[in-house]
Amino acid sequence: MTAALVVFALTYVAVAAGRFPLLSVDRPAAALLGAVLMVAARVLTPAQAGAAVNGDTLGLLLGMMILTAYLGEAGFFRWASWRVIRAAGTPRTLLWGLVFTAGGLSALLVNDTVCLMMTPLVLRIIDDAELPPIPYLLAVAFGSNAGSVATLTGNPQNMIIGTLSGISYARFAAALVAPAAASLVLVAAILHAIFRRHLPRRALATALPEPELDRRLLAKALAALGIALGGFLLGFALSWTSLFAGALCMAVAGRAPREALQRVDWPLLVFFAGLFVVVAGVGEAGVAGRMYDAVAPALGRTAERQALVFGAFSVAASQVVSNVPFVILAGHWIPRLADPRLLWLATALSATLAGNLTVVGSVANIIVLELAGSRGRIGFWRFFRIGAAVTAATLVAGLGLLLLERRLGLL
């Protein structure tokens, strides 16, 4: 048990910090090193380590990344952002439009990629129209996080929850679309209220040209995405449906697949695989069980109390070790609770909305602000004050709606 606990602690410290003192490792490398040490310390056998890697989660993520890569190559994200900018009459309507566009796209595709594709065009319109950058950058980041709550394919932690819980795509979406929609409204309203003095009432002036769009490739990529979504709703296996759609898109795209495959975030897949092994090690050694025993008394006995307390715990833990590692670890605890389905849904909601609390709370935040460079500079505490208002409001509304759905027998 001691060896498992030491490896687990070192891995999670490295994941939380993003690096490890004196070693040239980042988060994916730390997770991989932790997995190897679990085997080297004989906590797990090589066969047990291999079996611990959840291929369904990795397959689902890989397939969605391939589809997203082809949509990006076709120019879809640039075009969608341009349409929103063109339709927005004023800087204030632009703020609302960006929140709902980022959220809507993130409900269907992986939110990190949506931020990666949207941010450059948003920066251009900010420069052309001489608008303050922070409100619009936060609109993209916060909107993508809130919108990604809605479906199992919206973000990586939801994908993990889908494969670990067995909740179908349709049932998950039916439960969380309303909380996600309410969260988007609150995100836009709170940002509008906070930055209203910085958002001029004048007409939005910009001469942004229409981005080039590869219509043939876009049609093929959208058709493949439609096949994937149809398969999800019909109850086919998430991973194989996603991989089938991605492979089909590669086959018919009419261009070398290497370009699309180079856009896949392979380090993220390594990160997931390593974490699955590390968490399996603490489970095999009994560490996860003892951790659960330590927190169980605070959870209470009723499903509603457990959802609220565990939701708050998810927010705190997601700031410390990030939401993906926390969700994988929570997979050892949630089956023991009063209503596992409710707890999985509450965890998906809470761990995702927790990303809006701090700058490092989600990868989406980091992507947007890093791409913005000097225009995205915002102090930790300023971000925290804004993020705290957004996170608190969306969590209260989201968990409230989720518990109401349970009372009405809709879950």
Side-chain angles (χ1 to χ4, degrees):
M1 179 182 293
T2 301
L5 183 58
V6 169
V7 173
F8 171 79
L10 291 176
T11 302
Y12 271 55
V13 166
V15 167
R19 59 185 179 83
F20 200 81
L22 304 179
L23 296 178
S24 57
V25 296
D26 54 8
R27 288 185 173 93
L32 181 59
L33 180 61
V36 171
L37 289 176
M38 282 291 184
V39 176
R42 298 186 178 181
V43 177
L44 296 172
T45 66
Q48 287 174 319
V53 177
N54 192 310
D56 288 338
T57 299
L58 301 185
L60 173 59
L61 186 56
L62 175 58
M64 294 307 297
M65 284 179 174
I66 292 172
L67 291 174
T68 303
Y70 279 107
L71 287 170
E73 286 188 28
F76 171 73
F77 296 100
R78 293 190 302 273
W79 179 84
S81 302
W82 173 81
R83 289 290 297 178
V84 172
I85 292 166
R86 186 180 179 185
T90 68
R92 297 188 177 195
T93 56
L94 176 62
L95 181 78
W96 284 75
L98 289 177
V99 169
F100 283 98
T101 300
L105 291 175
S106 296
L108 298 176
L109 303 163
V110 184
N111 66 335
D112 299 345
T113 305
V114 171
C115 289
L116 186 65
M117 299 295 183
M118 283 187 63
T119 302
L121 195 63
V122 172
L123 289 170
R124 184 168 177 183
I125 183 60
I126 288 170
D127 292 340
D128 288 352
E130 298 182 347
L131 295 173
I134 294 300
Y136 300 99
L137 295 174
L138 294 182
V140 174
F142 288 174
S144 70
N145 286 329
S148 72
V149 166
T151 67
L152 287 173
T153 55
N155 56 60
Q157 61 269 19
N158 282 8
M159 294 183 187
I160 293 171
I161 287 172
T163 55
L164 294 181
S165 68
I167 300 174
S168 70
Y169 184 93
R171 187 179 291 275
F172 187 97
L176 290 181
V177 161
S183 296
L184 286 174
V185 173
L186 287 170
V187 166
I190 292 171
L191 289 178
H192 188 158
I194 291 174
F195 293 105
R196 64 187 181 278
R197 296 181 180 177
H198 304 279
L199 303 176
R201 294 180 178 274
R202 60 175 170 80
L204 188 64
T206 179
L208 194 65
E210 182 175 359
E212 292 185 9
L213 193 63
D214 188 333
R215 298 184 182 277
R216 292 186 63 183
L217 179 59
L218 178 61
K220 294 173 183 178
L222 288 176
L225 177 61
I227 290 172
L229 294 176
F232 295 157
L233 292 171
L234 291 173
F236 291 109
L238 295 174
S239 59
W240 288 104
T241 301
S242 174
L243 287 170
F244 173 78
L248 179 63
C249 194
M250 283 195 295
V252 302
R255 58 182 65 192
R258 183 176 297 274
E259 293 181 18
L261 290 175
Q262 287 176 340
R263 292 173 178 251
V264 171
D265 191 348
W266 297 106
L268 182 61
L269 298 178
V270 172
F271 178 57
F272 278 22
L275 285 179
F276 278 123
V277 176
V278 171
V279 174
V282 300
E284 182 70 19
V287 176
R290 293 197 175 190
M291 293 170 68
Y292 171 80
D293 293 337
V295 301
L299 296 175
R301 294 183 178 274
T302 66
E304 289 84 358
R305 175 182 168 84
Q306 289 177 352
L308 294 173
V309 174
F310 202 79
F313 181 53
S314 300
V315 173
S318 295
Q319 306 309 313
V320 177
V321 297
S322 186
N323 43 26
V324 168
F326 171 73
V327 164
I328 294 176
L329 182 60
H332 286 261
W333 304 337
I334 290 178
R336 306 184 186 190
L337 300 176
D339 185 348
R341 179 183 295 169
L342 173 65
L343 267 294
W344 277 121
L345 294 171
T347 301
L349 175 73
S350 303
T352 299
L353 294 178
N356 288 333
L357 184 59
T358 64
V359 172
V360 295
S362 77
V363 175
N365 298 345
I366 297 172
I367 289 173
V368 171
L369 297 178
E370 284 294 321
L371 286 176
S374 60
R375 289 166 292 181
R377 286 179 183 168
I378 178 172
F380 178 89
W381 291 112
R382 186 188 181 200
F383 188 103
F384 178 78
R385 288 194 297 270
I386 300 169
V390 169
T391 303
T394 54
L395 272 175
V396 169
L399 288 172
L401 284 171
L402 189 63
L403 293 179
L404 177 61
E405 289 173 349
R406 185 175 187 271
R407 289 282 183 92
L408 297 175
L410 300 177
L411 295 186

